[in-house]
Amino acid sequence: MFNGTRMKPLNHLQRQRITSNLFVVVALGAVATVAAPTLFPCPAFDQNDKAARLEARRKMKAQGNKPVVIQKRRTRTEEQVDEQQ
C-alpha cells in the first residue's frame, strides 16, 4: 500500500502547531479531570449516604470540641525498670 512512498518531514511551523495543540489538549484534560467530581457527583453516594454523613457531622459539632489528650507510650526499658523496683 505504501511501498516506495516516503513521508515528507514536518517543517518548523507544523511541529510548533502540533506541540502547541498537544499542550492545550493535555492542559484542558487536566483541568477537566480535576473539575469533574465537582460537576458530576459520584453516583456511588446516594442521598441516604449523604444524609447519614451530614447527620454524623452535626452530631460531632453538637458534642462540642473536646480536647484530645495524647499520652506517651511506655517503652520496654521503662517497663523493665518499673518491674525491677
Side-chain angles (χ1 to χ4, degrees):
M1 181 174 176
F2 294 106
N3 282 343
T5 60
R6 296 185 69 183
M7 289 184 62
K8 185 178 171 186
L10 299 175
N11 64 25
H12 176 70
L13 183 60
Q14 291 170 330
R15 284 192 311 257
Q16 191 175 10
R17 282 186 183 164
I18 288 173
T19 304
S20 178
N21 288 339
L22 184 62
F23 177 81
V24 169
V25 168
V26 169
L28 291 177
V31 170
T33 301
V34 172
T38 305
L39 301 174
F40 305 110
C42 179
F45 296 122
D46 63 356
Q47 293 298 326
N48 294 332
D49 290 340
K50 287 180 183 178
R53 282 198 311 272
L54 289 173
E55 182 180 350
R57 189 177 294 164
R58 280 190 217 115
K59 284 182 181 178
M60 291 295 288
K61 286 183 180 179
Q63 291 175 355
N65 293 335
K66 294 182 181 178
V68 177
V69 178
I70 300 174
Q71 296 179 347
K72 185 176 179 182
R73 288 187 178 183
R74 295 175 58 168
T75 62
R76 290 190 185 271
T77 56
E78 290 175 358
E79 290 174 1
Q80 292 171 352
V81 170
D82 289 342
E83 289 175 1
Q84 291 175 356
Q85 292 178 353

